[in-house]
C-alpha cells in the first residue's frame, strides 16, 4: 500500500515488479520479448504494462551467483535506468545477510566478520553489526542521492 495518502480515501496499491536481475541477465545475452515476440528491455515491458515501481535488491558483497549481482555499481546503474529511461519509482530492498533474506538462513556478510590471529572467525558484536548496517545503508543512500 502507498501510505502517503493522508485523506480518508482507500490507500492506492503500488504496482511494480522486481527487476533486480534484469540488467545482469541482459548483459549476459538474455533477450526479453513482448507478447508479440518483439525484443524489448525488461524495464520497458514492466513500464508498458503499467508497472510504476521497480524493486531492486541491495546486497552486501554479492558473489554473482544465483542472481546476486546487486553491489553499489550495479544498483546505481539500475536506479539510473529506472528513473531516467522509464520514469518509474524505485523501491530498494536492503538485504543485510550475506545471502537471501530467508529467516532460517541468515548469514552475516563475510566482510563484516573478523578473524583472530589463529584464524578463528569471530562474529561482530551487536554494536559493530549496527555500525556495519548503518555504514552500508548510508553509503548506498549517499551514492544514490549524488
Amino acid at each position: 500500500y502507498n501510505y502517503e495518502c493522508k485523506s480518508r480515501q482507500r490507500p492506492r496499491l503500488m504496482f511494480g515488479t522486481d527487476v533486480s536481475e534484469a540488467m545482469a541477465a541482459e548483459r549476459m545475452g538474455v533477450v526479453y520479448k513482448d507478447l508479440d515476440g518483439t525484443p524489448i528491455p525488461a524495464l520497458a515491458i514492466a513500464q508498458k504494462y503499467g508497472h510504476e515501481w521497480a524493486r531492486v535488491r541491495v546486497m552486501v558483497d554479492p558473489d554473482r551467483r544465483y542472481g546476486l549481482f546487486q553491489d553499489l555499481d550495479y544498483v546505481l546503474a539500475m536506479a539510473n535506468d529506472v528513473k531516467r529511461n522509464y520514469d518509474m519509482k524505485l523501491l530498494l530492498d536492503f538485504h543485510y545477510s550475506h545471502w537471501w533474506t530467508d529467516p532460517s538462513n541468515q548469514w552475516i556478510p563475510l566482510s563484516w566478520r573478523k578473524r583472530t590471529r589463529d584464524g578463528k572467525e569471530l562474529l561482530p558484536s551487536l554494536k559493530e553489526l549496527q555500525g556495519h548496517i548503518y555504514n552500508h545503508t548510508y553509503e548506498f543512500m549517499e551514492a544514490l542521492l549524488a
Side-chain angles (χ1 to χ4, degrees):
Y1 285 104
N2 181 348
Y3 289 102
E4 296 174 12
C5 180
K6 303 212 181 347
S7 70
R8 292 191 173 262
Q9 295 174 359
R10 192 168 149 210
R12 195 166 82 72
L13 289 175
M14 296 167 57
F15 189 57
T17 190
D18 186 332
V19 296
S20 297
E21 298 174 30
M23 186 173 68
E26 289 171 339
R27 287 177 177 173
M28 287 188 254
V30 171
V31 176
Y32 293 93
K33 295 181 180 180
D34 204 349
L35 295 174
D36 65 1
T38 305
I40 184 172
L43 283 169
I45 293 171
Q47 183 188 46
K48 179 177 179 178
Y49 293 98
H51 293 241
E52 300 167 335
W53 289 82
R55 173 186 181 252
V56 177
R57 287 188 302 265
V58 175
M59 304 298 294
V60 178
D61 303 329
D63 61 9
R64 306 216 176 287
R65 293 182 304 145
Y66 307 107
L68 303 178
F69 301 95
Q70 300 80 21
D71 61 10
L72 181 58
D73 292 336
Y74 185 94
V75 172
L76 286 174
M78 283 293 303
N80 281 325
D81 198 23
V82 165
K83 196 66 184 161
R84 291 192 175 128
N85 298 325
Y86 299 100
D87 195 33
M88 297 170 76
K89 295 176 180 136
L90 181 67
L91 174 65
L92 294 178
D93 187 1
F94 281 86
H95 288 228
Y96 297 109
S97 169
H98 189 64
W99 192 239
W100 301 100
T101 56
D102 172 0
S104 64
N105 198 8
Q106 293 289 298
W107 302 349
I108 293 176
L110 297 174
S111 64
W112 294 3
R113 303 177 197 183
K114 296 187 245 177
R115 293 217 175 262
T116 62
R117 288 184 185 153
D118 62 354
K120 185 177 177 185
E121 187 174 85
L122 297 175
L123 297 179
S125 68
L126 181 57
K127 187 168 183 77
E128 290 169 328
L129 192 56
Q130 289 169 332
H132 288 302
I133 291 169
Y134 177 87
N135 292 334
H136 177 70
T137 307
Y138 187 88
E139 175 187 3
F140 265 84
M141 296 311 293
E142 283 291 306
L144 283 167
L145 289 171

